[in-house]
Amino acid sequence: MIMFDINNVSLKSEKEIISNWTDDDDVKISVVCSAYNHEKYIENAIVSFLMQETTYKYEIIIRDDASNDKTASIIDRYYQKYPKIIHPIYEKENTFKKGIKPLKVLIDKAKGKYIAVCEGDDYWVSKDKLQKQAEYMELNSIVELTFHSTNVLSKNEYIKSNNNLINEDCFTTEDIINNWFIHTQTMMFRNNFDVNKIYDQFIGVLNMDWAIQLALSLKGEVRYLSDIESVYRKHDGSLSKVNFLNQKKRALFLILLMDKFDQYSNYNYSLPLQDKKIKILDEFCKNELVHNNRVAYIVSYPKEYFTNILTKIKLRINRFFG
């Protein structure tokens, strides 16, 4: 359990924050945050951004996707106090339903050399998060993406993730294919890629944070920093919870992601991607059997069985997304 209390943070004024920046000309870090109906959580996120102690100039870009609660008014309250740091975007109608990806819009607006991501219902715990990640990447030009540990908050209980990782561990593309272990609110990456190209090549994919992680792993190293903390909330209204309520859809979208990355990487990772798709289907079969209260589960299937299923699914996906 983390001892840090985000609700009792005393923030500096905008003038005090800016006075610590050694370079007042160029934005070094862009903090990007997507929000929708996050009235209960958005203040914690904003406070965790503004409490950052850094010598680097940073901006905060928060986009509210036409929330029907008080999210936008809370954002605006902080914008009035920190107008030189916070850059809000208020959508008049919900764009996510139209297929517009929040992260793409935010990255397009980012001026920083580095981009740090945090969704409106999560928050950071470490006050030196931005400083440590940017400083590390300044000293290690081969590193494209850094991430850190997080505490999963569910029903008022904190569960630490990535306990088995060691500081400065380096992860390959195959590692990222095999497991989703990089939480979105821990990511900082270089703002030196064509975001439009990535989104164009991953049309229909829901897990764009995972797609970006995979794409960046082809450009350089992905490293873990152990002494930075954050909180990821699990709640019924979270985007991941809503998207993955239907296990069948979840499996299809994950397979779509693997197929899109296969194309994006010029088919250099076809074998591990094929294995991953088989694991996705295997997990789906297990969940279906448990859900239906079946007693027996066949532990191993012939690989050809899954390959035939994958071929049919791929054809269906291609027809749907064209």
Side-chain angles (χ1 to χ4, degrees):
M1 179 182 292
I2 56 175
M3 305 299 293
F4 183 84
D5 185 1
I6 190 69
N7 295 305
N8 286 323
V9 172
S10 179
L11 291 177
K12 294 178 181 178
S13 68
E14 182 174 71
K15 184 177 180 180
E16 288 173 316
I17 293 173
I18 292 175
S19 68
N20 289 323
W21 296 343
T22 56
D23 186 355
D24 196 27
D25 295 325
D26 298 321
V27 175
K28 182 73 76 173
I29 307 163
S30 293
V31 177
V32 298
C33 175
S34 59
Y36 178 69
N37 286 351
H38 287 157
E39 176 185 351
K40 295 179 181 179
Y41 317 115
I42 190 64
E43 188 163 13
N44 285 168
I46 295 173
V47 167
S48 76
F49 306 156
L50 291 169
M51 75 179 187
Q52 292 300 304
E53 297 174 354
T54 175
T55 59
Y56 298 125
K57 182 177 182 178
Y58 70 95
E59 63 178 357
I60 301 169
I61 308 173
I62 310 179
R63 178 176 182 267
D64 176 67
D65 199 10
S67 296
N68 50 35
D69 61 6
K70 295 180 181 178
T71 300
S73 63
I74 295 171
I75 295 170
D76 193 61
R77 175 157 51 87
Y78 278 92
Y79 166 63
Q80 297 302 323
K81 293 181 180 179
Y82 299 87
K84 294 181 180 178
I85 300 174
I86 296 177
H87 308 298
I89 302 170
Y90 305 113
E91 300 294 350
K92 294 181 179 179
E93 58 179 334
N94 186 269
T95 61
F96 184 78
K97 295 175 182 177
K98 298 180 178 180
I100 295 175
K101 304 293 186 181
L103 191 53
K104 178 184 181 299
V105 177
L106 290 163
I107 294 174
D108 275 339
K109 300 285 185 182
K111 297 178 181 177
K113 181 178 180 181
Y114 304 106
I115 294 175
V117 186
C118 187
E119 293 181 349
D121 51 350
D122 302 323
Y123 63 92
W124 301 330
V125 173
S126 302
K127 292 185 177 182
D128 54 1
K129 171 216 160 58
L130 293 181
Q131 182 73 21
K132 283 185 174 179
Q133 281 186 282
E135 202 167 68
Y136 186 85
M137 296 182 76
E138 286 283 281
L139 295 171
N140 297 275
S141 59
I142 195 172
V143 176
E144 286 292 326
L145 168 67
T146 57
F147 70 103
H148 53 80
S149 60
T150 195
N151 300 270
V152 179
L153 174 57
S154 178
K155 297 178 180 178
N156 296 319
E157 182 180 358
Y158 293 97
I159 302 172
K160 180 96 170 188
S161 73
N162 294 334
N163 279 337
N164 58 328
L165 304 186
I166 300 172
N167 190 46
E168 296 190 59
D169 268 353
C170 185
F171 296 90
T172 66
T173 301
E174 289 195 25
D175 292 329
I176 299 171
I177 289 171
N178 287 332
N179 290 293
W180 183 81
F181 57 92
I182 302 176
H183 284 262
T184 307
Q185 81 282 356
T186 72
M187 294 167 57
M188 179 181 283
F189 50 88
R190 296 183 189 275
N191 188 11
N192 62 357
F193 64 95
D194 187 345
V195 65
N196 292 310
K197 179 182 177 182
I198 290 182
Y199 275 82
D200 286 345
Q201 295 197 22
F202 285 87
I203 291 174
V205 169
L206 282 180
N207 303 74
M208 280 307 300
D209 51 349
W210 198 352
I212 288 172
Q213 293 163 17
L214 287 166
L216 291 176
S217 74
L218 299 177
K219 289 172 60 65
E221 291 186 354
V222 175
R223 287 190 175 269
Y224 170 76
L225 303 180
S226 62
D227 57 346
I228 306 173
E229 300 281 344
S230 64
V231 169
Y232 165 72
R233 296 183 198 266
K234 289 183 72 174
H235 58 91
D236 290 340
S238 66
L239 189 60
S240 58
K241 182 87 172 180
V242 172
N243 285 339
F244 289 155
L245 284 177
N246 186 312
Q247 290 297 317
K248 187 180 294 183
K249 285 183 178 179
R250 179 181 187 274
L252 286 172
F253 277 116
L254 290 178
I255 289 169
L256 174 65
L257 168 59
M258 299 304 151
D259 276 339
K260 293 290 186 180
F261 182 66
D262 204 11
Q263 299 169 25
Y264 183 84
S265 60
N266 294 318
Y267 303 98
N268 288 319
Y269 295 89
S270 292
L271 286 178
L273 286 167
Q274 182 79 355
D275 288 340
K276 179 62 178 178
K277 288 186 285 186
I278 289 173
K279 289 177 183 177
I280 291 168
L281 281 174
D282 190 46
E283 180 185 355
F284 169 68
C285 290
K286 286 180 181 178
N287 289 337
E288 283 292 291
L289 290 168
V290 170
H291 178 72
N292 292 321
N293 296 318
R294 299 189 185 177
V295 177
Y297 172 68
I298 301 173
V299 176
S300 69
Y301 295 91
K303 193 168 184 178
E304 294 78 11
Y305 173 78
F306 282 113
T307 302
N308 290 335
I309 293 177
L310 287 171
T311 302
K312 292 177 182 178
I313 289 175
K314 189 171 182 179
L315 288 171
R316 188 181 305 169
I317 287 172
N318 287 339
R319 282 197 300 269
F320 184 77
F321 291 104

